[in-house]
């Protein structure tokens, strides 16, 4: 049936739904709604941050819809400019960025500020996917070396800020593209061995607070009121939730202010305390379904560029969730990584929904013939 013969409201609805993958949309909206529930409790039942997050969610949905309409072939044209602009913004941060809590991560623009490192979470995979797409017919080992250099530049700037959490996410997104482009297991093994051998050397370049986080991961009780405080309080919250949780708005660790950063990086502790093991398993199922859907879209992509880009987004989502849940549960060092779609924040939420929009675009144009 042609759109012209449909009622106006239905016609508008069908046009808005063009390019939108229903499975992805339901999954990310479900996660976002669970995040709003936890955020309301984490902020002492104050609606201010919830309203602000709803505004962030609305803007992110609009951005997702716009990106979903853009064909992957068009995205390729923006890969190099996005990477260059992102790298330039990181240089600008290093030269004159705002310092917050001892870290220079923010760039002030007009009446607001944003974190340019978020740009690289998508700009780097775009660039690497474009690079390997161009080299598809004549890929050599030296091309992987060039890709590694493209990866190392932004990661080095982000580590310098310092922001190990975001650097790990950006690096994971880039490494996933390089891996899916065809890097052999033998080379990966050699690189992994070199990385392990370089750990003692890397220890000397870490800041004092970063060393403390790693040491207190092994034994948080050595500094229970300092570096170990986050881990101790978050693990208490996670464990005290039990099987069914204490119930929504009944979490004592959050409401008595024991959990730090409870509305951002440690919102998983609030969620675990109130919804328990059953709630956590529900989250794992939702994240697993989302990642599986992304990998399925990558497998059915029409071009190498689209396949690499979608696969890197799937691995980025996995890294986001694994690192955040790992640090809150006390099995990984504490780093500044939000929980996808649940943690409060506009920049990270926008990045995530744009990534979902890219997945929708790849799925929509999966039948296109490579030109």
């Amino acid at each position: 049936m042609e759109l012209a013969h449909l009622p106006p409201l239905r016609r508008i609805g069908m046009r808005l739904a063009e390019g939108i993958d229903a499975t992805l949309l339901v999954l990310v909206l479900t996660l976002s709604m669970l995040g709003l529930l936890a955020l309301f409790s984490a902020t002492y039942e104050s609606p201010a941050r919830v309203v602000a997050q709803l505004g962030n969610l609305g803007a992110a949905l609009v951005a997702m819809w716009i990106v979903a309409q853009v064909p992957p072939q068009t995205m390729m044209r923006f890969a190099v400019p996005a990477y260059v602009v992102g790298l330039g913004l990181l240089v600008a941060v290093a030269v004159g960025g705002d310092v917050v809590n001892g870290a220079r991560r923010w760039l002030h623009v007009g009446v607001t500020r944003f974190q340019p490192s978020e740009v690289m979470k998508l700009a780097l995979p775009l660039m690497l996917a474009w690079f390997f797409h161009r080299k598809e017919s004549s890929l050599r080992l030296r091309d992987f070396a060039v890709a590694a250099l493209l990866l190392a530049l932004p990661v080095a700037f982000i580590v310098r800020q310092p922001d190990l959490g975001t650097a790990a996410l950006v690096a994971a997104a880039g490494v996933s593209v390089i891996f899916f482009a065809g890097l052999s297991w033998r080379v990966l093994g050699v690189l992994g061995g070199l990385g392990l051998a370089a750990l003692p050397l890397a220890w000397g370049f870490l800041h004092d607070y970063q060393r403390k986080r790693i040491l207190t991961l092994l034994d948080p009780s050595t500094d229970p009121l300092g570096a170990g405080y986050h881990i101790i309080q978050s693990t208490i919250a996670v464990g005290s939730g039990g099987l069914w949780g204490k119930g929504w708005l009944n979490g004592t660790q959050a409401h008595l202010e024991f959990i730090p950063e409870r509305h951002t990086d440690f919102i998983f502790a609030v969620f675990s305390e109130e919804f328990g093991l059953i709630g956590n398993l529900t989250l794992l199922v939702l994240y697993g379904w989302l990642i599986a859907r992304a990998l399925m879209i990558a497998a059915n992509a029409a071009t190498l560029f689209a396949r690499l880009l979608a696969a890197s987004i799937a691995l980025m989502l996995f890294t986001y969730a694994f690192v955040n849940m790992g640090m809150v549960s006390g099995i990984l060092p504490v780093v500044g990584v939000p929980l996808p779609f649940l943690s409060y924040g506009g920049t990270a939420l926008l990045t995530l929904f744009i990534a979902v929009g890219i997945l929708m675009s790849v799925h929509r144009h999966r039948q296109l013939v490579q030109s």
Side-chain angles (χ1 to χ4, degrees):
M1 183 183 294
E2 295 183 4
L3 290 179
H5 299 295
L6 295 175
L9 288 178
R10 188 178 176 186
R11 187 164 62 246
I12 293 172
M14 291 186 67
R15 284 178 175 172
L16 289 176
E18 286 181 358
I20 300 300
D21 183 85
T23 303
L24 287 175
L25 183 62
V26 169
L27 287 170
V28 296
L29 285 181
T30 301
L31 287 167
S32 299
M33 293 304 106
L34 291 175
L36 290 174
L37 288 176
L39 179 62
F40 185 70
S41 180
T43 53
Y44 311 117
E45 304 173 34
S46 172
R49 275 212 170 99
V50 176
V51 172
Q53 187 72 343
L54 279 171
N56 295 333
L57 181 59
L61 282 168
V62 172
M64 179 198 72
W65 182 84
I66 293 173
V67 173
Q69 311 308 311
V70 180
Q73 289 82 357
T74 303
M75 293 182 191
M76 275 200 296
R77 301 173 189 171
F78 294 98
V80 176
Y83 179 82
V84 172
V85 170
L87 202 58
L89 291 173
L90 290 177
V91 173
V93 169
V95 174
D98 291 349
V99 178
V100 180
N101 296 328
R104 192 184 297 273
R105 303 174 184 172
W106 301 85
L107 199 61
H108 201 81
V109 179
V111 296
T112 187
R113 65 183 183 185
F114 74 104
Q115 200 169 349
S117 56
E118 289 289 334
V119 175
M120 294 307 300
K121 290 178 182 177
L122 295 177
L124 179 62
L126 273 170
M127 178 66 186
L128 292 177
W130 171 86
F131 175 77
F132 284 115
H133 182 86
R134 293 287 300 271
K135 298 288 183 178
E136 182 179 7
S137 59
S138 58
L139 194 59
R140 300 178 181 178
L141 187 59
R142 66 184 181 187
D143 295 321
F144 289 101
V146 173
L149 179 61
L150 292 172
L151 165 64
L153 282 173
V155 170
F157 276 108
I158 297 171
V159 169
R160 186 179 179 274
Q161 292 178 357
D163 188 355
L164 287 183
T166 303
L169 291 175
V170 172
V175 169
S176 65
V177 176
I178 296 174
F179 171 72
F180 285 115
L183 188 63
S184 69
W185 286 102
R186 181 180 300 177
V187 175
L188 282 175
V190 172
L191 293 176
L194 292 174
L196 291 175
L199 286 179
L201 180 63
W203 182 262
F205 288 93
L206 294 177
H207 293 263
D208 289 339
Y209 79 93
Q210 292 169 340
R211 295 175 188 169
K212 282 186 178 180
R213 286 180 177 179
I214 295 174
L215 292 175
T216 52
L217 174 67
L218 303 175
D219 186 7
S221 62
T222 57
D223 190 9
L225 298 178
Y229 183 80
H230 291 68
I231 297 176
I232 292 172
Q233 298 304 325
S234 64
T235 52
I236 289 174
V238 172
S240 65
L243 181 62
W244 296 101
K246 297 177 180 177
W248 186 46
L249 306 179
N250 292 325
T252 54
Q253 288 294 109
H255 286 247
L256 295 177
E257 300 188 38
F258 287 108
I259 303 175
E261 304 296 335
R262 55 193 168 273
H263 64 291
T264 52
D265 295 346
F266 282 81
I267 199 167
F268 179 61
V270 178
F271 186 89
S272 297
E273 185 180 20
E274 298 188 353
F275 296 99
L277 177 62
I278 300 301
N280 290 344
L281 290 176
T282 301
L283 272 187
L284 290 176
V285 169
L286 290 171
Y287 282 127
W289 194 353
L290 177 62
I291 294 165
R293 180 64 177 167
L295 289 173
M296 186 180 299
I297 289 173
N300 294 320
T303 64
L304 179 64
F305 170 81
R307 185 162 60 252
L308 293 178
L309 187 57
S312 70
I313 290 173
L315 267 293
M316 181 183 73
L317 292 171
F318 168 79
T319 306
Y320 252 105
F322 176 76
V323 171
N324 181 274
M325 292 180 174
M327 76 174 188
V328 173
S329 304
I331 62 174
L332 292 176
V334 175
V335 292
V337 175
L339 188 60
F341 306 105
L342 270 77
S343 293
Y344 175 81
T347 308
L349 192 68
L350 181 64
T351 302
L352 287 165
F353 270 88
I354 289 176
V356 173
I358 292 174
L359 290 175
M360 291 180 178
S361 172
V362 171
H363 177 65
R364 181 185 183 185
H365 299 91
R366 65 191 181 280
Q367 300 299 333
L368 294 181
V369 178
Q370 182 176 352
S371 58

